Amino acid sequence: MNRSDSILDKSFTRRRVLGYGAAGAGLAAMPWQVSLAAQIDAAGGDQAMRTRAIPASGEQIPVIGMGSSGSFATRSESTLADLATVMKEFVAMGGTLVDTSPSYGNAETNIGNIARETGVREQLFMATKVRKRSRERTLEQFRASIDELGEPIDLLQIHNFIGLDNQWATLQQLKEEGRVRYIGITHYLTSAFDELEHQMATKDLDFVQFSYSIMTPDAEKRLLPLAADHGIAVLVNRAFNDGRIFGETKGKELPDFAKEFDCFSWAQFALKYVLANETVTAVIPATSDPEHLRDNMHAGYGKLPDADMRKRMRQTMRAL
């Protein structure tokens, strides 16, 4: 489902409120952008994107990363031009973590080429995956990812448990040899949560990746507390429920209380809900649209909702 414009008031649509990219291009900032900057200054904070620590090392990474499933799979020249803009603005607005996989079509090739061509490769925290069942095939796939993405590979993950029992030792060895910096596992279905819980409790994971959103908050019950207890960094996928949230909110006015936590679109509403849980290290929405990228990135700036506000947010979604 395509992301549709979210109505903020009777005159502002989602495409008209995107400020940082416009300002960076020499255009006037929107009034809410200026207001947000003033609020951050007044609170004594800087205007850098919020970061969180990776528990295994203390290294700080920005809370808004970028996924690539679907969005970077293209072979279209016109779409590649948009993706180059997406990549440049992602870095310019404070992003570093890019998550991809060999199974995402042409994504690794596109990401690697664009990162080199735009000169941002050294600024990226690169995360990819392996999904093979034998050690030999896993190492072969890893070498192919290096050829596409370049080095270093900061995070290597076992994709959706494929080959997990056999290949965890391979990832551990790659980490010990310094070929990768962090290792972890991923899944995108809530039906996998029981197995994720088991793996988180029994393996020495640096990272875990799973689905979590205001529409599907199941991870709050067990996975997020477990990650906090075991010192595992959390990457969140499907924060928009594969675009369902934009179908639910289409034509609906954003509640006024959202401004209290510097939120000005439904995309930011969804992302700030996820980031309000401090166990979440980063959320990784995917997009090939530069305007949507700018919108997503804004969620990493300014205030986040507290527990009472998150309750109001859930009530708002149920009432739509």
Side-chain angles (χ1 to χ4, degrees):
M1 180 180 295
N2 292 328
R3 291 173 66 176
S4 56
D5 288 350
S6 299
I7 297 175
L8 306 185
D9 59 32
K10 292 184 179 180
S11 61
F12 278 20
T13 66
R14 184 163 178 253
R15 291 186 177 274
R16 294 179 59 195
V17 301
L18 304 170
Y20 281 99
L27 303 177
M30 299 303 294
W32 70 263
Q33 180 193 349
V34 176
S35 174
L36 175 55
Q39 291 172 28
I40 294 171
D41 284 341
D46 60 38
Q47 294 181 43
M49 177 175 285
R50 185 184 300 273
T51 64
R52 287 193 176 143
I54 300 169
S57 65
E59 177 182 358
Q60 296 280 333
I61 58 173
V63 295
I64 303 292
M66 183 164 61
S68 59
S69 177
S71 59
F72 273 80
T74 185
R75 295 180 185 274
S76 162
E77 289 298 323
S78 60
T79 304
L80 286 173
D82 283 340
L83 290 176
T85 301
V86 163
M87 182 71 76
K88 287 187 290 187
E89 297 212 15
F90 172 71
V91 173
M93 293 182 69
T96 64
L97 190 152
V98 176
D99 179 81
T100 189
S101 170
S103 64
Y104 296 165
N106 212 40
E108 282 195 335
T109 299
N110 290 336
I111 289 170
N113 288 342
I114 291 169
R116 286 185 288 269
E117 290 167 3
T118 56
V120 302
R121 177 60 182 93
E122 292 185 1
Q123 296 168 260
L124 297 178
F125 183 106
M126 193 69 76
T128 192
K129 306 178 182 76
V130 289
R131 45 177 294 134
K132 299 297 182 181
R133 300 187 184 281
S134 74
R135 173 180 170 80
E136 180 180 342
R137 295 296 302 279
T138 293
L139 292 174
E140 180 181 288
Q141 188 169 67
F142 174 64
R143 286 191 290 268
S145 291
I146 289 175
D147 288 343
E148 298 289 5
L149 298 170
E151 294 188 84
I153 299 298
D154 296 284
L155 169 60
L156 187 62
Q157 305 154 99
I158 291 179
H159 198 166
N160 295 348
F161 305 151
I162 296 170
L164 175 59
D165 291 338
N166 293 330
Q167 297 317 307
W168 183 246
T170 304
L171 266 65
Q172 288 178 307
Q173 183 176 346
L174 288 169
K175 181 182 175 183
E176 289 169 2
E177 293 174 352
R179 303 299 304 280
V180 298
R181 301 174 60 224
Y182 302 101
I183 55 177
I185 61 175
T186 79
H187 215 288
Y188 68 101
L189 296 176
T190 56
S191 60
F193 278 12
D194 286 346
E195 182 63 20
L196 275 167
E197 184 177 16
H198 171 69
Q199 298 298 334
M200 291 167 66
T202 58
K203 284 186 171 57
D204 188 16
L205 302 174
D206 297 319
F207 276 80
V208 63
Q209 182 181 147
F210 50 73
S211 62
Y212 172 46
S213 74
I214 191 171
M215 297 177 70
T216 312
D218 308 48
E220 293 174 0
K221 298 175 184 177
R222 294 180 297 170
L223 294 191
L224 286 164
L226 186 63
D229 289 343
H230 286 256
I232 304 171
V234 173
L235 298 185
V236 168
N237 58 46
R238 298 184 119 184
F240 299 144
N241 287 85
D242 294 331
R244 277 180 50 215
I245 190 169
F246 302 112
E248 296 289 332
T249 58
K250 185 176 181 179
K252 306 293 177 61
E253 191 168 344
L254 196 71
D256 285 342
F257 70 76
K259 296 175 185 176
E260 296 180 32
F261 52 93
D262 304 321
C263 175
F264 301 91
S265 74
W266 284 111
Q268 294 168 34
F269 194 85
L271 294 172
K272 281 179 175 275
Y273 180 88
V274 168
L275 291 174
N277 190 305
E278 293 186 357
T279 303
V280 172
T281 310
V283 58
I284 50 171
T287 184
S288 59
D289 185 316
E291 292 188 42
H292 292 173
L293 181 279
R294 296 175 200 126
D295 194 4
N296 294 343
M297 297 299 281
H298 283 306
Y301 292 81
K303 299 175 185 175
L304 292 174
D306 60 18
D308 289 339
M309 193 65 77
R310 279 160 56 87
K311 182 177 180 180
R312 292 182 69 182
M313 294 169 77
R314 290 191 296 269
Q315 291 171 341
T316 296
M317 291 303 302
R318 287 195 293 267
L320 290 178

